[in-house]
Structures are given as structure tokens and as C-alpha cells.
């Protein structure tokens, strides 16, 4: 069993660099240690927060009054069978290392998800997506410790209830601890290249390789400060702070009309809008800018990323309370301007999400 420590500061373990101490902290390097720690916490009646890479969490200034269990298990198994490859990865494996390995092995399916921070076990929880792909497209099953049934379970992808940035695991955060994730990838490609920005970037390459698509995605993400880089002034963030809202058609038309009337756009078709289940998906970053908050907006320790309005950046010396206040002001301004409510994307620890 890995060592249990008391009063461990969370700020250095989050990409935002914010948050008070965990009352108890265990870093588990074996699946059996994860289960032991959960059973031990159960006996003690202790609340548990399961931490991966810390790139999508907002921890309260007061910290977490319970056990923070960091998942640091490692291991990747790849078995090829004809044109298909099964990849089974331990939850603590860094996500982008897995993507790099699969691209090197000429396995297609994860290349568009290059450069995303965090660990593999977190990816099915919010059905991570970028550049036209979602984890759910290649996911086969999730192996988890079911804290309610107190046994290991294998949840097939079809039972994970995956949707845009959500899943059964996200909706029941206290039930499952993900131990391993299984993907099915295509041997020898071709890469997926359906996101218009990505297609434009590889234009001139009639048949881009998996490596070219990965490198292009990394370049696009770096331009938006969406690859964590110690030299980047926008490095301290939790990626997209809000999800892209899905609204009905008339609401989308009203937003476009309001942006036209304010002079933010000259033609209604300049507003990004994408067909989505249940309506039209709008771009939250665009809404923030259209509401009058340009990239880099905000004084003091928190502001919008200078490269992408959807990321809130901690410039240093701030508190979680100040972050929440800034985020609320951004959300309220978008609502006042367009009547569209933005939902927060990262997970809040030790405090309720923005109400
Ligand atoms: N846009 C703006 N201003 C901005 C940023 C974007 O007007 O500051 C516009 C863009 O011009 C584009 C549209 O908004 O027309 C969409 O922008 P982008 O392609 O950058 O993607 P996004 O919808 O803002 C989503 C994911 C990202 C993912 C990218 C790329 C969500 C919440 N975010 O962002 O995921 O990398 O697509 O596929 O769905 C994350 O979840 O943390 C994350 C970074």
C-alpha cells in the first residue's frame, strides 16, 4: 500500500496552480493499492477525490477535507489482430504518451487527441474530444472499481453513456474508480481529418500520415496555448473553462442577430455554429469574445488566455475564490448579452461548482 500523507498541498498538483491541502493523500502506483485505499477510506467514512493529472480540476482554497487518491498506475499493452489493435492502458498512464506510442506504432484513432494533458483514466469520464474526434469513438471498455458493489467491473463502451464531455462516470463521480481503459485502433491508418481547421492546416497533403496529423494538431494546440508548456505565459489553466452550449435553432439565430447588431460580425454566417444532438452547438470562446471580452481580457491574477478566450488563465498570486469570481463575471456577461448559459467544464473539488 502506498504511503498515506497528511496536509498535502494541492496547488502544485493542478495545472491552475491553485488549491489548499488534502487532509490525506495517497499516490497509488498499483491497481490493488487503489482498491485498498478506497476500502480503507470506506471503513473510516472518509470522502475521496480521485486525482489524475490535475489538468481539469479546481480545488477550493480550503483544500479537500478527505482523501485525495492520485492514480499513478502505469502500463500499456498492445495486441494486433489483422487490421485491428487492442490497446489496454492503466488509468495513470499519461494520455499524450499513449497517443504518441499509438501513432509511432502506426495505429489510427487517437491522433486528433494529441497534446491533451492528463492521464488515461480521466479520458472516458468526460469523453475527451478535440479536432473532430472523441475518446468514445475508439473506446471498447472501462475497467473500474465499483465503490457501490465493492467489486471490479468491466463497463462496455455502450454502457458508459457517453455524450459531449460527459459520461456515466462524470454523472456519478463517487461510484467508480477507473483502473484501466481499452481502445480498439485501426492498424495502418488512415488518420481522421474531419475538423475544418485541421483540414485547412494539412491542405496540400492529399494523404497525410498519422504523424503529420499528430504534429499538425500539436501545432494548432500550441498556437492556442492548449499544450502545457512551462515557457508559455498562458500555461496555468484548466483548458476550456466552459463547454460549448447546445441551443435550439431560434436561440442561435437570436445570438447571431445580437452579434450583428453590435457590429461584432458583419454577416450572420460568420458566427461558428455546428449541428449537434438536440440543437445547434455554439462556440463558447466566440460567445465570450462577442460579449465584449477579448482574448487576454481581465486585470489582476486571472484573465482570459491571450490565445483562446475559452481558457481562464491564472497569472500567478491568485486564489480559487478570485478565479470563481472572475469565471462568474464572464459567464454572467455572456448570459446578459445573449441569454445563453455557459456550463463549467472542469471538476470542482472541496466546493460546489459555480451556481
Ligand atoms: N473562437 C473564438 N475565439 C476564441 C476561441 C475560439 O471566436 O478565443 C472560435 C473559433 O474561431 C472557432 C470556434 O470558436 O470558430 C471553435 O474554436 P476551437 O476550434 O478553438 O474549439 P473550441 O470549441 O473552443 C473545443 C474543445 C477543446 C478542443 C478544441 C479543438 C470544448 C469545451 N473544447 O474548443 O477542448 O481542443 O475544440 O477541437 O469542447 C478542453 O476541453 O479543455 C479543450 C481544450
Amino acid at each position: 500500500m502506498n504511503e498515506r500523507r497528511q496536509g498535502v498541498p494541492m496547488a502544485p498538483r493542478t495545472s491552475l496552480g491553485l488549491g489548499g491541502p488534502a487532509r490525506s493523500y495517497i499516490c497509488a502506483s498499483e491497481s490493488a493499492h487503489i482498491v485498498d485505499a478506497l476500502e480503507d477510506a470506506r471503513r473510516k467514512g472518509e470522502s475521496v477525490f480521485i486525482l489524475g493529472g490535475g489538468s481539469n480540476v479546481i480545488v477550493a482554497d480550503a483544500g479537500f477535507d478527505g482523501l485525495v487518491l492520485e492514480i499513478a498506475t502505469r502500463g500499456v499493452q498492445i495486441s494486433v489482430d489483422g487490421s485491428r489493435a487492442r490497446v489496454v492502458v492503466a488509468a495513470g498512464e499519461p494520455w499524450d504518451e499513449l497517443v504518441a506510442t499509438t501513432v509511432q506504432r502506426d495505429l489510427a484513432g487517437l491522433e486528433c487527441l494529441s497534446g491533451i494533458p492528463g492521464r488515461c483514466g480521466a479520458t472516458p469520464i468526460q469523453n475527451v474530444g478535440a479536432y473532430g474526434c472523441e475518446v468514445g469513438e475508439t473506446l471498447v471498455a472501462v475497467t473500474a472499481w465499483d465503490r457501490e458493489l465493492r467489486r471490479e467491473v468491466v463497463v462496455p463502451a455502450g454502457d458508459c453513456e457517453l455524450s459531449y464531455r460527459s459520461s456515466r462516470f462524470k454523472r456519478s463521480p463517487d461510484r467508480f474508480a477507473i483502473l484501466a481503459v481499452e481502445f480498439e485502433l485501426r492498424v495502418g491508418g488512415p488518420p481522421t481529418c474531419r475538423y475544418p481547421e485541421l483540414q485547412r492546416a494539412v491542405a496540400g497533403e492529399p494523404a497525410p500520415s498519422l504523424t503529420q496529423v499528430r504534429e499538425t494538431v500539436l501545432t494548432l494546440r500550441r498556437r492556442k496555448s492548449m499544450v502545457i508548456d512551462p515557457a508559455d505565459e498562458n500555461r496555468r489553466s484548466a483548458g476550456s473553462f466552459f463547454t460549448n452550449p447546445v441551443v435550439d435553432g431560434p436561440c442561435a439565430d437570436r445570438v447571431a442577430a445580437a452579434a450583428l447588431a453590435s457590429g461584432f460580425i458583419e454577416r450572420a454566417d460568420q458566427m461558428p455554429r455546428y449541428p449537434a444532438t438536440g440543437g445547434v452547438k455554439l462556440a463558447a470562446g466566440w460567445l465570450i469574445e462577442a460579449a465584449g471580452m477579448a482574448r487576454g481580457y481581465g486585470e489582476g491574477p486571472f484573465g482570459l488566455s491571450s490565445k483562446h478566450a475559452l481558457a481562464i488563465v491564472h497569472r500567478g498570486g491568485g486564489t480559487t475564490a478570485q478565479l470563481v469570481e472572475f469565471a462568474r463575471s464572464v459567464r454572467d456577461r455572456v448570459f446578459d448579452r445573449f441569454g445563453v448559459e455557459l456550463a463549467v467544464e472542469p471538476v470542482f473539488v472541496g466546493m460546489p461548482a459555480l451556481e
Side-chain angles (χ1 to χ4, degrees), residues 182-201:
E182 180 177 343
F183 296 99
E184 186 181 273
L185 304 182
R186 305 178 304 276
V187 177
T192 306
C193 203
R194 53 171 99 104
Y195 200 71
E197 189 188 11
L198 180 58
Q199 287 172 333
R200 282 194 297 275

Side-chain angles (χ1 to χ4, degrees), residues 65-247:
D65 187 24
L67 170 68
V68 170
L69 177 58
E70 181 186 341
I71 308 298
T73 49
R74 301 294 301 258
V76 182
Q77 289 155 24
I78 300 180
S79 47
V80 175
D81 182 7
S83 62
R84 304 272 144 188
R86 287 277 159 135
V87 177
V88 179
V89 59
E93 196 66 41
W95 172 256
D96 195 50
E97 289 184 24
L98 175 72
V99 177
T101 303
T102 60
V103 166
Q104 269 156 25
R105 298 275 300 259
D106 206 22
L107 306 177
L110 304 182
E111 61 284 352
C112 290
L113 305 175
S114 292
I116 294 177
R119 299 189 187 163
C120 292
T123 59
I125 300 178
Q126 55 156 352
N127 189 16
V128 160
Y131 297 97
C133 278
E134 285 184 340
V135 155
E137 292 168 54
T138 46
L139 184 72
V140 174
V142 171
T143 302
W145 178 256
D146 185 329
R147 294 166 64 194
E148 209 171 284
L149 302 178
R150 297 176 69 199
R151 62 177 170 83
E152 195 173 299
V153 292
V154 176
V155 187
D159 292 342
C160 292
E161 299 165 20
L162 300 169
S163 57
Y164 167 61
R165 287 297 193 279
S166 194
S167 71
R168 183 176 176 187
F169 309 111
K170 178 131 186 189
R171 284 185 284 271
S172 314
D174 292 327
R175 175 148 181 202
F176 299 99
I178 295 181
L179 303 175
V181 187
E182 180 177 343
F183 296 99
E184 186 181 273
L185 304 182
R186 305 178 304 276
V187 177
T192 306
C193 203
R194 53 171 99 104
Y195 200 71
E197 189 188 11
L198 180 58
Q199 287 172 333
R200 282 194 297 275
V202 297
E205 284 294 341
S209 67
L210 287 172
T211 304
Q212 280 167 325
V213 168
R214 171 172 166 78
E215 290 305 324
T216 307
V217 167
L218 286 173
T219 303
L220 294 176
R221 289 188 71 94
R222 276 194 201 102
R223 262 187 224 151
K224 298 179 193 178
S225 293
M226 289 289 184
V227 174
I228 296 179
D229 172 353
D232 188 331
E233 57 169 1
N234 296 304
R235 68 190 173 281
R236 280 195 225 100
S237 86
S240 300
F241 199 90
F242 301 101
T243 51
N244 288 330
V246 176
V247 300

Side-chain angles (χ1 to χ4, degrees), residues 55-56 112 116-117 126 128-133 164-165 195 197 200 221 224 226 238-244 264 270-274 281-290 293-295 305 307-311 345:
S55 51
N56 201 43
C112 290
I116 294 177
Q126 55 156 352
V128 160
Y131 297 97
C133 278
Y164 167 61
R165 287 297 193 279
Y195 200 71
E197 189 188 11
R200 282 194 297 275
R221 289 188 71 94
K224 298 179 193 178
M226 289 289 184
S240 300
F241 199 90
F242 301 101
T243 51
N244 288 330
F264 186 74
Q270 287 172 322
M271 176 178 81
R273 53 190 289 168
Y274 316 93
K281 193 190 275 183
L282 302 180
W286 183 92
L287 286 168
I288 291 169
E289 290 205 288
M293 294 167 282
R295 295 169 205 186
S305 160
K307 306 276 183 55
H308 199 290
L310 193 46
E345 201 260 357

Side-chain angles (χ1 to χ4, degrees), residues 248-264:
D248 60 27
C251 175
D253 294 340
R254 278 197 303 276
V255 171
L260 260 177
S262 72
F264 186 74

